[in-house]
Amino acid sequence: MLRIFRLSILFPSFLAILTLSACAQKLPIDEGRMVIALPGAPVNVDPRVATDAYGEQLLQMTHASLVGRDAAGEPLPDLAQRWESPDPLTYVFHLRPGLGFHDGQPLTSADVRYTFSWILDSVNRSPHRGLYRHVAAIETPDPRTVVFRLSEPFAPFLSTMVRGIVPAGSPARGYAPPVGAGPYKIDDLSPDGEAVLSAYDGYYGGPPAILAVTVKFVPDSNVRFLELKMGSVNFTLNGVDPDLLPAAELAGRLVVEEGRGGNVTYLGFNLRDRALSDVRVRRAIALAIDRETIVRTIWKGRADLVSSILPPGSWALDPDLPAVPFDPARARRLLDEAGFPDPDGEGPLPRLRLTYKTSQNEVRRRVATVIQEQLRQVGISVEIQSIEWGTFFSDIKKGNFQIYSLTWVGIADPDIFHHAFHSRSAPPDGANRGGYSDAEIDRLTEAARREPSREKRRDTYRRVQRILARDLPVFPLWAGRNLLVRDRRLTGFPLTPDESYGPVRAMRIVPVPSTPSEGGRR
Amino acid sequence: MALLRRTARHRGAAVGMVLLVLFLLAAAFAPGIAPRDPLALKLDDGLSGPSASHWLGQDKFGRDVLSRLIHGARLSLAVGLGTVGISLLIGLAAGSLAGFLGGAADRIFTGACDVLLAFPGILLAIGIAAVRGPSFGNVLFALSVLGWVGYARVIRAQVLSVKTREFVESARAVGSSPARLLLRHILPNAISPILVEATFGIARAIVAEAGLSFLGLGVAPPAPSWGSMIGEGRHFLFIAPHLVTAPGAAILLTVMAFNFVGDGLRDALDVRGNMQ
């Protein structure tokens, strides 16, 4: 049904563009307004419950958290000016002086406690509750001090403090517009249209230079591209089809920037499936996929191959992991060994049939089409089921799949290995959707999250990655690079691997740079 | 044969028939005619424009657009003919029985038709296809579910008018069984408007299938369908317009051909027209 919805967006937008081009043009950027296009509408804009990427991206501009994150994923001061951990079970945060919410109310330790207590209260059924289950108590000795007491050591704790703080007493429903303490406040929010933001004067770091920001939710990639060309949108991160990027650059007013990405796309296998429970079959599938060609052609080279689900650049990444090569001959041999001989050689009959579930995202569908054909070459017949996101994700969580493809977004800590591969992390307690179970992985991931020393954690996670590379419960494919298309006058946005929109607050609109013409420099 | 000849006298219909024969031949002998394997990927040539080796260019995956178009003709015609075939069978049975039996059966039939006609057909088809998933059978089902109602109504009206004619009366008088009466005497004389209607129906079904495939609800990929070719190609409208124009033109021509033939058939079957 998503596609129908897209269509209904497509035509009015075309009309809008036509009318826009008909009038004498005064673009938003000429009036000091930055217009961001997100490829979809947020499902939720309450930091206590939002889990979708678009919701979180909007919240990065409107809500502040105790701790921020730098480009490498390391914690940075945000609302908390500094913090200390006197022992592995205690974290003390010291808030900045004079903090306030958009509505003028002061932000104190009570608001911090309220936000996390609300998430921890099982009545509220927050999807983030599991993340904070080690929190035993939250104390507020004074309005500027918050103390978190943990029930057991939890090394990734600081990375979980990247959660927007809401005013104490904010109701679960009717929290609109959502009030936060971030650099922008939400003036207007229409769920399927756009969010209108304006600079918050009381922001602790001083109000942002760009006073007016509109965030448009534009699901159709063609419309995003057209709006960019017209100038009615002037900033989009990962919003333009890789094939259309050269055309975007041609527009003159726009510039394209590329940065390392942190989101790893992978193939997930259902290990409860008779064929896929055999590691030889999983390895054969991995060997049959020519990832380099897919990256070169579908992604136009704007992605990097990976061998682990950790984002490239993560401190815990094992740099010496063996990469799975493209070797269809070996794939066929492995399938023979695993008891799936080719019934008729060159003939049309497959060795085995599998279904491959994916969302309706256009690039994902293209990837699925290529993988389908590459697996056909080794005798595996693949049926692609490209289904609407809600149904797709619920099927994946229920284990109702053979192969699926998904992307891990915003992974900051290698504790993801516990979340995704521990035998007790089956949904809803985690994301071990394929039913993988390995005693060694269980032991290592449990030990690593209790280990305060980063060096020792790194060693443990390298062993974890070795085992996963051997067992292939998922096949990590690639990490897409982040691609920013922006008006050349919008400057000062550092691309971070986690696609954060937080740095929008540091951006400025500069007058058209008087660069010499391209021809002159040749 | 006579009917064909009379239809062909209509200039548009003659053009339409030639086109249809071409499309049918293409569909029937697709593997022989298509210059390349419609599924074979040549990823590095993705989005190439028309060239000597690929007359209509290549899609995002480097597949030959012409070959996909030819294989797509199979699918479009199969959906068109299949949907109309199924709808006709159901429509003929339901409509002729209702008209022939009359009374309560007829009243129930008319009521049911009115209810069914109130459903927006394409939306129902989208709903069905979305729930049941993309496949050839589901497309046929989704399009036939309401497709038969129109035929049934037309045939009912025809049966109602034919069954009071003298030759039916006399057949009844000599003791023909009701089944023989309906099948031998009434239906053959009631069927001509349906033929015209069916020709237009095929065109409508082809457009509907293209619409469903465009939305990703048609036949499962990678099977080439004209609608899904447009759906996939629209993302490259600005850099590779040939991806949508070629299948678009194919749909246009096929639908036009069926409509021309339908017009011709109507004129040929029109009794008044013949008397002039």
mmCIF file of all heavy atoms in Angstrom, chain A residues 383-415:
data_model
loop_
_atom_site.group_PDB
_atom_site.id
_atom_site.type_symbol
_atom_site.label_atom_id
_atom_site.label_comp_id
_atom_site.label_asym_id
_atom_site.label_seq_id
_atom_site.Cartn_x
_atom_site.Cartn_y
_atom_site.Cartn_z
ATOM 1 N N GLU A 383 12.735 -16.620 -4.991
ATOM 2 C CA GLU A 383 11.533 -15.822 -5.214
ATOM 3 C C GLU A 383 11.655 -14.568 -4.363
ATOM 4 O O GLU A 383 11.876 -14.657 -3.149
ATOM 5 C CB GLU A 383 10.286 -16.610 -4.813
ATOM 6 C CG GLU A 383 9.003 -15.861 -5.076
ATOM 7 C CD GLU A 383 7.818 -16.415 -4.276
ATOM 8 O OE1 GLU A 383 7.900 -17.593 -3.870
ATOM 9 O OE2 GLU A 383 6.865 -15.681 -4.042
ATOM 10 N N ILE A 384 11.525 -13.400 -5.004
ATOM 11 C CA ILE A 384 11.634 -12.139 -4.264
ATOM 12 C C ILE A 384 10.258 -11.737 -3.764
ATOM 13 O O ILE A 384 9.298 -11.708 -4.527
ATOM 14 C CB ILE A 384 12.186 -11.021 -5.158
ATOM 15 C CG1 ILE A 384 13.583 -11.376 -5.645
ATOM 16 C CG2 ILE A 384 12.207 -9.695 -4.408
ATOM 17 C CD1 ILE A 384 14.135 -10.395 -6.640
ATOM 18 N N GLN A 385 10.161 -11.455 -2.490
ATOM 19 C CA GLN A 385 8.921 -10.881 -1.974
ATOM 20 C C GLN A 385 9.245 -9.495 -1.448
ATOM 21 O O GLN A 385 9.866 -9.350 -0.401
ATOM 22 C CB GLN A 385 8.342 -11.761 -0.867
ATOM 23 C CG GLN A 385 7.840 -13.091 -1.402
ATOM 24 C CD GLN A 385 7.125 -13.887 -0.333
ATOM 25 O OE1 GLN A 385 7.060 -13.487 0.818
ATOM 26 N NE2 GLN A 385 6.591 -15.021 -0.728
ATOM 27 N N SER A 386 8.851 -8.507 -2.213
ATOM 28 C CA SER A 386 9.114 -7.136 -1.824
ATOM 29 C C SER A 386 7.839 -6.608 -1.190
ATOM 30 O O SER A 386 6.859 -6.378 -1.865
ATOM 31 C CB SER A 386 9.504 -6.351 -3.073
ATOM 32 O OG SER A 386 9.268 -4.989 -2.895
ATOM 33 N N ILE A 387 7.851 -6.493 0.123
ATOM 34 C CA ILE A 387 6.597 -6.187 0.808
ATOM 35 C C ILE A 387 6.662 -4.898 1.599
ATOM 36 O O ILE A 387 7.737 -4.418 1.951
ATOM 37 C CB ILE A 387 6.149 -7.346 1.736
ATOM 38 C CG1 ILE A 387 7.355 -8.060 2.297
ATOM 39 C CG2 ILE A 387 5.218 -8.294 1.024
ATOM 40 C CD1 ILE A 387 7.058 -9.376 2.953
ATOM 41 N N GLU A 388 5.485 -4.394 1.854
ATOM 42 C CA GLU A 388 5.311 -3.131 2.575
ATOM 43 C C GLU A 388 6.028 -3.225 3.927
ATOM 44 O O GLU A 388 6.041 -4.276 4.573
ATOM 45 C CB GLU A 388 3.809 -2.897 2.712
ATOM 46 C CG GLU A 388 3.393 -1.643 3.388
ATOM 47 C CD GLU A 388 3.194 -1.841 4.865
ATOM 48 O OE1 GLU A 388 2.761 -2.930 5.264
ATOM 49 O OE2 GLU A 388 3.511 -0.909 5.617
ATOM 50 N N TRP A 389 6.655 -2.120 4.347
ATOM 51 C CA TRP A 389 7.587 -2.139 5.467
ATOM 52 C C TRP A 389 7.013 -2.777 6.732
ATOM 53 O O TRP A 389 7.651 -3.631 7.344
ATOM 54 C CB TRP A 389 8.088 -0.721 5.765
ATOM 55 C CG TRP A 389 8.894 -0.680 7.002
ATOM 56 C CD1 TRP A 389 8.488 -0.248 8.220
ATOM 57 C CD2 TRP A 389 10.247 -1.146 7.171
ATOM 58 N NE1 TRP A 389 9.505 -0.401 9.141
ATOM 59 C CE2 TRP A 389 10.588 -0.958 8.520
ATOM 60 C CE3 TRP A 389 11.189 -1.716 6.313
ATOM 61 C CZ2 TRP A 389 11.831 -1.294 9.031
ATOM 62 C CZ3 TRP A 389 12.428 -2.052 6.839
ATOM 63 C CH2 TRP A 389 12.738 -1.847 8.163
ATOM 64 N N GLY A 390 5.805 -2.370 7.132
ATOM 65 C CA GLY A 390 5.237 -2.868 8.384
ATOM 66 C C GLY A 390 5.127 -4.386 8.380
ATOM 67 O O GLY A 390 5.556 -5.064 9.323
ATOM 68 N N THR A 391 4.563 -4.928 7.297
ATOM 69 C CA THR A 391 4.411 -6.374 7.177
ATOM 70 C C THR A 391 5.774 -7.044 7.134
ATOM 71 O O THR A 391 6.011 -8.074 7.773
ATOM 72 C CB THR A 391 3.661 -6.714 5.878
ATOM 73 O OG1 THR A 391 2.623 -5.770 5.692
ATOM 74 C CG2 THR A 391 3.107 -8.107 5.910
ATOM 75 N N PHE A 392 6.669 -6.463 6.355
ATOM 76 C CA PHE A 392 8.007 -7.034 6.198
ATOM 77 C C PHE A 392 8.701 -7.154 7.552
ATOM 78 O O PHE A 392 9.152 -8.232 7.950
ATOM 79 C CB PHE A 392 8.814 -6.137 5.248
ATOM 80 C CG PHE A 392 10.288 -6.427 5.220
ATOM 81 C CD1 PHE A 392 10.762 -7.632 4.740
ATOM 82 C CD2 PHE A 392 11.205 -5.486 5.657
ATOM 83 C CE1 PHE A 392 12.122 -7.901 4.712
ATOM 84 C CE2 PHE A 392 12.558 -5.745 5.629
ATOM 85 C CZ PHE A 392 13.015 -6.959 5.161
ATOM 86 N N PHE A 393 8.736 -6.040 8.289
ATOM 87 C CA PHE A 393 9.485 -6.040 9.530
ATOM 88 C C PHE A 393 8.848 -6.965 10.554
ATOM 89 O O PHE A 393 9.540 -7.640 11.325
ATOM 90 C CB PHE A 393 9.611 -4.610 10.067
ATOM 91 C CG PHE A 393 10.727 -4.445 11.054
ATOM 92 C CD1 PHE A 393 11.998 -4.862 10.737
ATOM 93 C CD2 PHE A 393 10.496 -3.869 12.290
ATOM 94 C CE1 PHE A 393 13.039 -4.733 11.655
ATOM 95 C CE2 PHE A 393 11.525 -3.730 13.208
ATOM 96 C CZ PHE A 393 12.788 -4.157 12.889
ATOM 97 N N SER A 394 7.519 -7.036 10.539
ATOM 98 C CA SER A 394 6.867 -7.911 11.504
ATOM 99 C C SER A 394 7.142 -9.377 11.139
ATOM 100 O O SER A 394 7.360 -10.218 12.013
ATOM 101 C CB SER A 394 5.382 -7.568 11.583
ATOM 102 O OG SER A 394 4.590 -8.648 11.253
ATOM 103 N N ASP A 395 7.194 -9.703 9.850
ATOM 104 C CA ASP A 395 7.561 -11.059 9.419
ATOM 105 C C ASP A 395 8.967 -11.415 9.884
ATOM 106 O O ASP A 395 9.230 -12.524 10.350
ATOM 107 C CB ASP A 395 7.523 -11.166 7.884
ATOM 108 C CG ASP A 395 6.125 -11.494 7.375
ATOM 109 O OD1 ASP A 395 5.217 -11.600 8.222
ATOM 110 O OD2 ASP A 395 5.950 -11.639 6.159
ATOM 111 N N ILE A 396 9.877 -10.468 9.751
ATOM 112 C CA ILE A 396 11.269 -10.723 10.123
ATOM 113 C C ILE A 396 11.356 -10.993 11.625
ATOM 114 O O ILE A 396 12.012 -11.925 12.074
ATOM 115 C CB ILE A 396 12.161 -9.504 9.751
ATOM 116 C CG1 ILE A 396 12.112 -9.236 8.253
ATOM 117 C CG2 ILE A 396 13.595 -9.720 10.202
ATOM 118 C CD1 ILE A 396 12.369 -10.419 7.387
ATOM 119 N N LYS A 397 10.639 -10.169 12.386
ATOM 120 C CA LYS A 397 10.715 -10.340 13.834
ATOM 121 C C LYS A 397 10.085 -11.661 14.266
ATOM 122 O O LYS A 397 10.504 -12.262 15.247
ATOM 123 C CB LYS A 397 10.033 -9.159 14.532
ATOM 124 C CG LYS A 397 10.904 -7.905 14.518
ATOM 125 C CD LYS A 397 10.359 -6.818 15.415
ATOM 126 C CE LYS A 397 9.117 -6.196 14.830
ATOM 127 N NZ LYS A 397 8.747 -4.938 15.488
ATOM 128 N N LYS A 398 9.083 -12.103 13.507
ATOM 129 C CA LYS A 398 8.424 -13.367 13.859
ATOM 130 C C LYS A 398 9.218 -14.575 13.376
ATOM 131 O O LYS A 398 8.833 -15.709 13.629
ATOM 132 C CB LYS A 398 7.028 -13.402 13.221
ATOM 133 C CG LYS A 398 5.980 -12.652 14.024
ATOM 134 C CD LYS A 398 4.595 -12.910 13.450
ATOM 135 C CE LYS A 398 4.007 -11.651 12.903
ATOM 136 N NZ LYS A 398 2.944 -11.807 11.948
ATOM 137 N N GLY A 399 10.278 -14.339 12.629
ATOM 138 C CA GLY A 399 11.040 -15.461 12.083
ATOM 139 C C GLY A 399 10.372 -16.062 10.862
ATOM 140 O O GLY A 399 10.676 -17.185 10.477
ATOM 141 N N ASN A 400 9.455 -15.333 10.263
ATOM 142 C CA ASN A 400 8.711 -15.821 9.106
ATOM 143 C C ASN A 400 9.445 -15.415 7.821
ATOM 144 O O ASN A 400 9.037 -14.500 7.123
ATOM 145 C CB ASN A 400 7.298 -15.239 9.157
ATOM 146 C CG ASN A 400 6.474 -15.652 7.972
ATOM 147 O OD1 ASN A 400 6.827 -16.606 7.282
ATOM 148 N ND2 ASN A 400 5.396 -14.933 7.720
ATOM 149 N N PHE A 401 10.573 -16.095 7.548
ATOM 150 C CA PHE A 401 11.380 -15.761 6.370
ATOM 151 C C PHE A 401 12.384 -16.883 6.135
ATOM 152 O O PHE A 401 12.597 -17.730 7.009
ATOM 153 C CB PHE A 401 12.133 -14.444 6.588
ATOM 154 C CG PHE A 401 13.120 -14.509 7.726
ATOM 155 C CD1 PHE A 401 14.410 -14.995 7.534
ATOM 156 C CD2 PHE A 401 12.765 -14.100 8.999
ATOM 157 C CE1 PHE A 401 15.312 -15.075 8.588
ATOM 158 C CE2 PHE A 401 13.664 -14.192 10.061
ATOM 159 C CZ PHE A 401 14.938 -14.672 9.848
ATOM 160 N N GLN A 402 12.967 -16.918 4.943
ATOM 161 C CA GLN A 402 14.124 -17.775 4.696
ATOM 162 C C GLN A 402 15.382 -16.906 4.597
ATOM 163 O O GLN A 402 16.319 -17.087 5.340
ATOM 164 C CB GLN A 402 13.917 -18.606 3.423
ATOM 165 C CG GLN A 402 12.984 -19.791 3.663
ATOM 166 C CD GLN A 402 12.839 -20.644 2.434
ATOM 167 O OE1 GLN A 402 12.413 -20.173 1.386
ATOM 168 N NE2 GLN A 402 13.184 -21.908 2.550
ATOM 169 N N ILE A 403 15.341 -15.952 3.653
ATOM 170 C CA ILE A 403 16.430 -14.982 3.552
ATOM 171 C C ILE A 403 15.791 -13.602 3.577
ATOM 172 O O ILE A 403 14.723 -13.403 3.011
ATOM 173 C CB ILE A 403 17.202 -15.127 2.223
ATOM 174 C CG1 ILE A 403 17.719 -16.551 2.062
ATOM 175 C CG2 ILE A 403 18.368 -14.157 2.150
ATOM 176 C CD1 ILE A 403 18.468 -16.747 0.756
ATOM 177 N N TYR A 404 16.419 -12.657 4.234
ATOM 178 C CA TYR A 404 15.940 -11.286 4.135
ATOM 179 C C TYR A 404 17.147 -10.378 4.059
ATOM 180 O O TYR A 404 18.277 -10.770 4.362
ATOM 181 C CB TYR A 404 15.065 -10.906 5.337
ATOM 182 C CG TYR A 404 15.796 -10.771 6.640
ATOM 183 C CD1 TYR A 404 16.273 -9.537 7.075
ATOM 184 C CD2 TYR A 404 16.017 -11.882 7.445
ATOM 185 C CE1 TYR A 404 16.955 -9.419 8.273
ATOM 186 C CE2 TYR A 404 16.693 -11.769 8.638
ATOM 187 C CZ TYR A 404 17.165 -10.530 9.058
ATOM 188 O OH TYR A 404 17.843 -10.422 10.245
ATOM 189 N N SER A 405 16.896 -9.160 3.657
ATOM 190 C CA SER A 405 17.971 -8.190 3.654
ATOM 191 C C SER A 405 17.529 -6.973 4.439
ATOM 192 O O SER A 405 16.393 -6.507 4.311
ATOM 193 C CB SER A 405 18.339 -7.847 2.213
ATOM 194 O OG SER A 405 18.381 -6.472 2.027
ATOM 195 N N LEU A 406 18.410 -6.505 5.300
ATOM 196 C CA LEU A 406 18.110 -5.335 6.129
ATOM 197 C C LEU A 406 19.411 -4.576 6.357
ATOM 198 O O LEU A 406 20.485 -5.042 5.982
ATOM 199 C CB LEU A 406 17.549 -5.778 7.479
ATOM 200 C CG LEU A 406 16.051 -5.632 7.717
ATOM 201 C CD1 LEU A 406 15.711 -6.094 9.124
ATOM 202 C CD2 LEU A 406 15.599 -4.199 7.547
ATOM 203 N N THR A 407 19.285 -3.432 6.979
ATOM 204 C CA THR A 407 20.456 -2.615 7.259
ATOM 205 C C THR A 407 20.480 -2.257 8.734
ATOM 206 O O THR A 407 19.445 -1.858 9.277
ATOM 207 C CB THR A 407 20.412 -1.330 6.410
ATOM 208 O OG1 THR A 407 20.418 -1.693 5.040
ATOM 209 C CG2 THR A 407 21.598 -0.447 6.693
ATOM 210 N N TRP A 408 21.643 -2.441 9.363
ATOM 211 C CA TRP A 408 21.794 -1.966 10.745
ATOM 212 C C TRP A 408 22.105 -0.485 10.699
ATOM 213 O O TRP A 408 23.075 -0.079 10.067
ATOM 214 C CB TRP A 408 22.923 -2.708 11.453
ATOM 215 C CG TRP A 408 22.512 -4.037 11.982
ATOM 216 C CD1 TRP A 408 22.964 -5.255 11.581
ATOM 217 C CD2 TRP A 408 21.556 -4.278 13.026
ATOM 218 N NE1 TRP A 408 22.348 -6.249 12.298
ATOM 219 C CE2 TRP A 408 21.477 -5.678 13.190
ATOM 220 C CE3 TRP A 408 20.755 -3.460 13.823
ATOM 221 C CZ2 TRP A 408 20.634 -6.277 14.119
ATOM 222 C CZ3 TRP A 408 19.922 -4.051 14.749
ATOM 223 C CH2 TRP A 408 19.862 -5.445 14.901
ATOM 224 N N VAL A 409 21.269 0.296 11.384
ATOM 225 C CA VAL A 409 21.433 1.746 11.334
ATOM 226 C C VAL A 409 21.904 2.244 12.701
ATOM 227 O O VAL A 409 21.367 1.843 13.733
ATOM 228 C CB VAL A 409 20.091 2.424 10.958
ATOM 229 C CG1 VAL A 409 20.249 3.930 10.920
ATOM 230 C CG2 VAL A 409 19.608 1.917 9.624
ATOM 231 N N GLY A 410 22.900 3.107 12.689
ATOM 232 C CA GLY A 410 23.304 3.812 13.905
ATOM 233 C C GLY A 410 23.857 2.923 14.997
ATOM 234 O O GLY A 410 23.536 3.081 16.165
ATOM 235 N N ILE A 411 24.702 1.966 14.637
ATOM 236 C CA ILE A 411 25.315 1.114 15.650
ATOM 237 C C ILE A 411 26.500 1.855 16.251
ATOM 238 O O ILE A 411 27.423 2.245 15.543
ATOM 239 C CB ILE A 411 25.796 -0.199 15.031
ATOM 240 C CG1 ILE A 411 24.593 -0.996 14.595
ATOM 241 C CG2 ILE A 411 26.635 -0.984 16.026
ATOM 242 C CD1 ILE A 411 24.949 -2.196 13.807
ATOM 243 N N ALA A 412 26.464 2.081 17.571
ATOM 244 C CA ALA A 412 27.546 2.834 18.189
ATOM 245 C C ALA A 412 28.452 1.915 18.980
ATOM 246 O O ALA A 412 29.614 2.209 19.187
ATOM 247 C CB ALA A 412 26.977 3.917 19.088
ATOM 248 N N ASP A 413 27.918 0.792 19.434
ATOM 249 C CA ASP A 413 28.699 -0.032 20.340
ATOM 250 C C ASP A 413 28.653 -1.488 19.885
ATOM 251 O O ASP A 413 27.616 -1.970 19.429
ATOM 252 C CB ASP A 413 28.109 0.086 21.751
ATOM 253 C CG ASP A 413 29.061 -0.471 22.788
ATOM 254 O OD1 ASP A 413 29.098 -1.712 22.961
ATOM 255 O OD2 ASP A 413 29.778 0.329 23.420
ATOM 256 N N PRO A 414 29.786 -2.200 20.015
ATOM 257 C CA PRO A 414 29.813 -3.609 19.582
ATOM 258 C C PRO A 414 28.907 -4.505 20.407
ATOM 259 O O PRO A 414 28.798 -5.692 20.115
ATOM 260 C CB PRO A 414 31.291 -3.999 19.751
ATOM 261 C CG PRO A 414 31.876 -2.977 20.656
ATOM 262 C CD PRO A 414 31.110 -1.726 20.438
ATOM 263 N N ASP A 415 28.259 -3.969 21.423
ATOM 264 C CA ASP A 415 27.294 -4.770 22.164
ATOM 265 C C ASP A 415 26.181 -5.259 21.234
ATOM 266 O O ASP A 415 25.384 -6.130 21.596
ATOM 267 C CB ASP A 415 26.707 -3.956 23.323
ATOM 268 C CG ASP A 415 25.913 -4.818 24.287
ATOM 269 O OD1 ASP A 415 26.441 -5.867 24.698
ATOM 270 O OD2 ASP A 415 24.763 -4.464 24.589
#
